[in-house]
Amino acid sequence: MSTQDELKRKVAEAAVPYVKGIGIIGVGTGSTIRYFIDALADFKSDIEGAVSSSVATTEHLKKVGIPVLDLNETGTLDIYVDGADEINPVKQLIKGGGAALTREKIIAAASKKFVCIADGSKRVDVLGKFPLPIEVIPMARSYVARELVKLGGQPVWRENCVTDNHNHIIDVHNLTITNPIELEQTINHITGVVCVGLFAMRPADVVLVTDGEQIVSF
Ligand code: 5RP
């Protein structure tokens, strides 16, 4: 039986056909995406470049020889590939376990197709068991936390974590997210919130996940 890392590698390799022949691709962040970049390296002569969602991804892309491009220069991207922390049956996601949610959400918004890759443990019926990451302006951290308590969550400051945008992360525990779009909109409206790791208004278009040793898509 494959380990979780082997499953991540398997699903990452399964995403490569989706990007073949596409000049510029958006690339997410995380351990699954590291495997995707490794797999992509074998086809780098086909790829014009990539738009990166984090400093870590930029470093990895450069290491394998894939040019990193600025989203302001590329225009709309044909495809964005990224992982997730939770995925519900309608392809809405929780993301941000790796603190890269803001740039990830920007690239997802700027892409025609979002392909989400994950090992099968990320599939859930209802989002919320994974604490919901929220990027906040540092001086707003306590205020935002109090507002999140009013919504029924239990906010926990991710100490020692500074995002690539120099902000802080609050992880919200104890949420059962039965209406992800409504919650995403509500949290977006709290002053001091930079980005919430709920990808519901712009969900994935295709999800590739492992099911046992197989890859399934929906
Ligand atoms: C980073 C993310 C990642 O996509 C998410 O945390 C999944 O990571 P991994 O592939 O390591 O399980 O949202 O901000």
Side-chain angles (χ1 to χ4, degrees):
M1 209 172 92
S2 300
T3 64
Q4 190 178 23
D5 270 346
E6 286 162 350
L7 295 173
K8 286 180 180 193
R9 182 190 294 279
K10 213 178 251 191
V11 77
E13 287 170 355
V16 171
Y18 284 81
V19 303
K20 272 193 184 167
I22 291 189
I24 303 172
I25 57 177
V27 181
T29 296
S31 54
T32 315
I33 285 299
R34 286 187 66 81
Y35 288 124
F36 174 67
I37 296 170
D38 289 340
L40 216 51
D42 294 338
F43 304 95
K44 65 182 173 212
S45 53
D46 296 345
I47 299 164
E48 205 177 311
V51 173
S52 167
S53 60
S54 64
V55 171
T57 289
T58 297
E59 282 171 2
H60 198 85
L61 286 164
K62 285 183 175 167
K63 199 171 132 200
V64 303
I66 297 173
V68 176
L69 307 172
D70 181 342
L71 184 63
N72 290 308
E73 308 296 328
T74 61
T76 301
L77 302 177
D78 285 327
I79 197 153
Y80 176 53
V81 181
D82 198 359
D85 299 300
E86 277 189 351
I87 305 164
N88 76 8
V90 290
K91 305 183 195 103
Q92 295 167 325
L93 316 169
I94 287 184
K95 290 185 48 53
L101 60 158
T102 301
R103 296 186 191 187
E104 292 172 340
K105 202 179 254 194
I106 292 167
I107 304 178
S111 299
K112 288 184 198 156
K113 190 186 235 182
F114 176 5
V115 177
C116 179
I117 55 174
D119 69 88
S121 70
K122 309 291 182 69
R123 283 179 89 169
V124 297
D125 287 329
V126 178
L127 299 172
K129 200 162 182 196
F130 188 92
L132 178 64
I134 300 178
E135 180 165 355
V136 297
I137 298 290
M139 72 167 286
R141 195 182 66 236
S142 297
Y143 166 71
V144 172
R146 289 194 293 278
E147 294 301 300
L148 293 167
V149 168
K150 289 182 195 163
L151 296 177
Q154 191 189 323
V156 176
W157 174 26
R158 200 185 295 179
E159 288 188 67
N160 305 318
C161 174
V162 176
T163 69
D164 290 346
N165 313 307
H166 311 291
N167 293 316
H168 289 179
I169 297 283
I170 294 173
D171 294 304
V172 192
H173 296 247
N174 291 344
L175 290 173
T176 303
I177 306 174
T178 49
N179 191 336
I181 290 180
E182 188 180 76
L183 187 64
E184 184 176 0
Q185 287 169 335
T186 302
I187 295 176
N188 277 343
H189 283 116
I190 300 174
T191 302
V193 167
V194 175
C195 186
V196 53
L198 254 180
F199 285 52
M201 290 190 283
R202 200 279 182 252
D205 299 301
V206 178
V207 174
L208 297 177
V209 280
T210 55
D211 183 358
E213 298 292 322
Q214 308 300 314
I215 308 284
V216 295
S217 68
F218 61 95

